[in-house]
């Protein structure tokens, strides 16, 4: 059926033509045909607007330090499609990807002939992941990232040990709603009866609604800033962050992470609370040294990732207003008074006007470009939105970067941001330009 992993990836990506179809009916149909692999998963379900991937990276690293084998299902990918389905950070092999796809493809074709219609790209990938972790490579614990929203997301057929909401912000408003409460309630769709919720959300009104839902579900809500807290100890000498975390169970003094930004302290603090919960209630083996070492070793690509020091090149897949705000805050925190240049693009369904306004606060010249994607905003549309006088359109971003790297003063920054698809492409190109 499939000769290579490239054949599988092409087949999966061809499903994009079916668009986004929120709903669980097609997933439930496939899971029933597969004898319910989703019921075999020992999972943590992680949703939210920003911070999902980083929280998963911190938690995976902590759990691995304790000796657990950890599966992750994440999206989208930065360097390789295989990353989406990984064990201990190692992407699924070509052989296993083919094996799983050959189980799912006949089902997808059969489903297409029913009244439910064709499964989407993300539904196919989710089914592949759940089958893999249930039947081919079971793990001690699986960390599942919500794809979009929560209530009607394909992943929302699992019954996790604990549900997590990292943050709430304005994203995917065409699908999730145009105000924070509507978005928050879509995210809360992953809450399950009897399963506790851990959250980094700070909005008082949203937390009150979450408390109501959790009470109805006869379980508990653990809130950042209340049941668990952190103290920001400032940047470390090597560009990371130092902080202290206090949970219901223990205080961890002077923790360190190599990932940069105050928002990463919050993600790391969430991960510590989740790990503590798993240790207390599911007998996951963890000592304090595992938490310390796990946090320090954790890495997540394209999140304020410094890929070069001379000149300093930062890749950040901030793709919404909240993400850009965190990027700007982190630049000011770690590189105060530095000059720099920004290369930016975004998808047209993102609030790019607000994103650009936030970037302009840095006072850097902004160069606008575009990517070859039907969802991409044009460089002209981005350019026209910008208020700064320091703006320019770049058609050949590869040539632009090559020239900038050779001519930019070593003490100035080059920041590439705005779309994870773009940042992924840039990362690949930089590997050649910097060597």
């Amino acid at each position: 059926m499939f000769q290579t992993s490239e054949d599988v990836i092409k087949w999966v990506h061809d499903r994009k033509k079916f668009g986004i179809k929120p709903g669980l009916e097609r997933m439930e149909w496939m899971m029933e045909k597969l004898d319910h692999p989703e019921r075999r998963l020992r999972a943590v379900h992680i949703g939210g607007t920003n911070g999902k991937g980083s929280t998963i990276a911190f938690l995976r690293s902590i759990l691995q330090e304790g000796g657990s084998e950890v599966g992750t299902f994440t999206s989208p990918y930065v360097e390789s499609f295989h990353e989406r389905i990984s064990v201990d950070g190692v992407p699924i092999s070509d052989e296993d990807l083919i094996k799983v796809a050959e189980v799912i493809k006949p089902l997808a074709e059969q489903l297409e002939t029913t009244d439910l219609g064709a499964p989407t790209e993300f539904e196919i990938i989710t089914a592949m992941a759940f089958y893999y972790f249930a039947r081919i490579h079971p793990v001690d614990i699986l960390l599942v990232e919500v794809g979009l929203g929560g209530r009607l997301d394909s992943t929302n057929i699992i019954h996790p040990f604990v549900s997590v909401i990292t943050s709430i912000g304005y994203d995917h408003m065409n699908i999730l709603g145009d105000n924070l409460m509507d978005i928050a309630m879509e995210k809360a769709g992953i809450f399950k009866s009897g399963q506790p919720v851990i959250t980094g959300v700070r909005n008082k009104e949203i937390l009150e609604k979450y408390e109501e839902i959790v009470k109805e579900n006869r379980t508990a809500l653990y809130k950042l800033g209340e049941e668990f807290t952190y103290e920001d100890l400032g940047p470390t000498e090597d560009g990371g962050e130092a902080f202290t975390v206090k949970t219901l169970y223990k205080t961890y003094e002077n923790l360190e992470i190599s990932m940069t930004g105050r928002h990463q302290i919050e993600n790391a603090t969430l991960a510590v609370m989740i790990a503590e919960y798993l240790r207390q209630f599911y007998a996951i083996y963890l000592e304090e040294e595992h938490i310390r070492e796990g946090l320090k070793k954790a890495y997540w690509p394209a999140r304020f990732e410094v890929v070069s020091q001379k000149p300093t090149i930062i890749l950040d897949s901030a793709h919404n207003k909240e993400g850009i705000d965190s990027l700007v805050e982190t630049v000011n925190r770690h590189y105060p008074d530095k000059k720099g240049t920004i290369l930016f693009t975004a998808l047209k369904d993102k609030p790019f006007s607000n994103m650009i306004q936030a970037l302009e606060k840095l006072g850097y010249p902004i160069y606008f470009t575009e990517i070859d994607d039907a969802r991409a905003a044009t460089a002209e549309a981005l350019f026209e939105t910008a208020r700064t006088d320091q703006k320019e359109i770049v058609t050949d971003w590869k040539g632009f970067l090559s020239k900038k790297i050779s001519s930019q003063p070593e003490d100035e920054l080059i920041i590439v941001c705005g779309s994870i698809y773009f940042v992924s492409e840039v990362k690949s190109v930089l590997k050649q330009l910097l060597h």
Side-chain angles (χ1 to χ4, degrees), residues 343-356:
L343 180 61
F344 176 86
T345 193
L347 301 182
K348 59 189 172 190
D349 61 355
K350 298 293 181 180
F352 59 76
S353 175
N354 293 338
M355 294 163 70
I356 292 167

Side-chain angles (χ1 to χ4, degrees), residues 285-433:
Y285 175 65
L286 281 174
E287 300 288 354
E288 179 170 338
E289 67 204 68
H290 302 138
I291 288 175
R292 287 188 178 280
E293 283 304 304
L295 289 176
K296 200 176 284 188
K297 291 178 182 175
Y299 159 76
W300 194 240
R303 271 64 173 185
F304 208 88
E305 182 181 3
V306 180
V307 293
S308 167
Q309 293 288 357
K310 291 184 178 181
T312 302
I313 303 175
I314 296 164
L315 302 184
D316 198 315
S317 57
H319 58 278
N320 53 36
K321 170 67 163 54
E322 290 76 15
I324 295 291
D325 284 341
S326 293
L327 165 61
V328 171
E329 181 189 336
T330 306
V331 172
N332 288 328
R333 178 183 174 96
H334 283 265
Y335 300 96
D337 308 319
K338 282 258 188 182
K339 292 181 178 179
T341 295
I342 297 168
L343 180 61
F344 176 86
T345 193
L347 301 182
K348 59 189 172 190
D349 61 355
K350 298 293 181 180
F352 59 76
S353 175
N354 293 338
M355 294 163 70
I356 292 167
Q357 283 178 34
L359 279 176
E360 287 172 345
K361 292 175 184 173
L362 287 172
Y364 298 168
I366 306 177
Y367 295 83
F368 296 104
T369 191
E370 60 193 59
I371 52 174
D372 184 16
D373 189 300
R375 292 170 59 205
T378 64
E380 287 80 6
L382 300 171
F383 178 87
E384 286 166 14
T385 300
R387 298 174 180 178
T388 179
D389 294 330
Q390 300 182 85
K391 60 179 180 177
E392 203 171 308
I393 289 174
V394 168
T395 50
D396 174 18
W397 61 261
K398 294 176 187 175
F400 169 82
L401 277 176
S402 178
K403 190 175 176 184
K404 268 286 170 193
I405 288 166
S406 61
S407 64
Q408 183 106 333
E410 286 188 355
D411 62 343
E412 292 190 15
L413 311 178
I414 299 173
I415 299 171
V416 180
C417 60
S419 158
I420 193 161
Y421 304 103
F422 175 54
V423 171
S424 175
E425 277 190 60
V426 171
K427 184 162 186 175
S428 175
V429 168
L430 284 177
K431 281 184 177 177
Q432 300 162 354
L433 292 178

Side-chain angles (χ1 to χ4, degrees), residues 54 96 211 234 249 347:
S54 297
D96 282 346
E211 289 278 16
Y249 313 107
L347 301 182

Side-chain angles (χ1 to χ4, degrees), residues 234-271:
T236 61
E237 285 183 14
D238 58 1
E241 307 290 352
F243 56 106
T244 290
V245 170
K246 185 177 183 182
T247 71
L248 293 170
Y249 313 107
K250 192 176 175 69
T251 298
Y252 299 91
E253 304 273 0
N254 298 304
L255 296 171
E256 289 187 14
I257 53 175
S258 60
M259 290 203 271
T260 308
R262 191 176 57 81
H263 60 297
Q264 295 296 11
I265 297 177
E266 300 205 346
N267 295 331
T269 303
L270 264 178

Side-chain angles (χ1 to χ4, degrees), residues 17-29:
K17 65 189 175 196
F18 298 112
I20 296 170
K21 300 193 284 188
L24 302 178
E25 305 88 349
R26 288 172 299 280
M27 282 300 299
E28 287 164 347
W29 186 94

Side-chain angles (χ1 to χ4, degrees), residues 117-164:
T120 66
E121 177 191 34
F122 189 66
E123 287 169 342
I124 292 291
I125 298 168
T126 306
M128 287 167 61
F130 289 175
Y131 184 85
Y132 174 74
F133 287 118
R135 300 279 156 69
I136 294 176
H137 195 136
V139 289
D140 296 320
I141 194 148
L142 173 63
L143 311 181
V144 177
E145 179 182 352
V146 172
L148 195 161
R151 183 174 64 91
L152 299 175
D153 186 71
S154 307
T155 63
N156 200 26
I157 53 172
I158 59 173
H159 289 270
F161 291 159
V162 59
S163 301
V164 180

